[in-house]
Amino acid sequence: MTVVLAVLILVAFAWLGVLTALLMAHGREIQVNLLALKQIAGAEKHVGGTGRNRRRTDFRVPVRLNAFLRVQEHARPCRVVDVSRSGAQVLPDGGTFPIGVVGVLTVEFGEFDSATTHVKIVRAIEVAGTYGLQFVDAPAAFQEKCTQTIRKVFREQLGSS
């Protein structure tokens, strides 16, 4: 009788341990999702400044995409370090680009998946060595690839942390 009672108690404690572990795992996942949602909520109010100083309408997400930027006689491979639906920030492999000039940006969104759009170089960030680009009349396919990339980054950020 005591052996049966001991086995039942052992099974009950094991079951409680499994339930506790599951609850803790789900609680952690809920905390991560809640934190991510708090950071995303109201982002449109904080993107790019407020009032007259507001520069962009979309928020940018960090990425690591290979690209090639051609502006006038300047042509360089570069890395896209962040992207939004309306622009990007690129780090060229050396060289400089003129501000205020329109060029062509080709981004490798995947191994065999690239897209091209016209861009205007709107600013140089000297400290980082990067350039802020504004997409000019971006084709629908390019916009869709940017949107898919942003969604992918959000899903990855929500899943990690």
Side-chain angles (χ1 to χ4, degrees):
M1 180 67 167
T2 57
V3 173
V4 172
L5 185 58
V7 170
L8 286 174
I9 291 174
L10 184 61
V11 168
F13 276 117
W15 181 247
L16 285 173
V18 168
L19 286 177
T20 302
L22 286 172
L23 286 173
M24 289 177 67
H26 286 292
R28 171 75 176 138
E29 185 177 336
I30 288 170
Q31 287 177 338
V32 166
N33 289 337
L34 182 62
L35 179 62
L37 288 173
K38 283 181 181 177
Q39 290 175 348
I40 293 172
E44 69 279 357
K45 296 178 185 172
H46 306 289
V47 175
T50 58
R52 291 183 357 196
N53 295 328
R54 187 179 188 105
R55 293 187 316 215
R56 65 183 72 94
T57 58
D58 292 323
F59 54 95
R60 293 188 175 178
V61 294
V63 294
R64 291 183 184 168
L65 301 172
N66 291 326
F68 196 83
L69 181 59
R70 290 179 294 278
V71 179
Q72 295 174 341
E73 70 275 357
H74 307 277
R76 300 259 188 287
C78 56
R79 175 156 317 255
V80 178
V81 295
D82 66 33
V83 69
S84 73
R85 292 179 300 174
S86 61
Q89 185 176 172
V90 298
L91 175 64
D93 291 347
T96 60
F97 291 100
I99 307 299
V101 179
V102 174
V104 176
L105 178 70
T106 301
V107 180
E108 294 177 16
F109 288 97
E111 188 173 356
F112 299 106
D113 188 18
S114 64
T116 301
T117 187
H118 287 91
V119 294
K120 180 177 180 182
I121 301 179
V122 292
R123 71 184 55 83
I125 301 99
E126 292 180 22
V127 174
T130 60
Y131 290 87
L133 309 178
Q134 179 182 7
F135 301 146
V136 178
D137 297 325
F142 187 89
Q143 290 176 339
E144 180 61 28
K145 290 179 190 306
C146 286
T147 301
Q148 288 174 357
T149 301
I150 292 167
R151 287 180 181 153
K152 179 182 173 189
V153 169
F154 278 151
R155 280 193 299 271
E156 289 172 357
Q157 288 178 348
L158 288 173
S160 60
S161 295

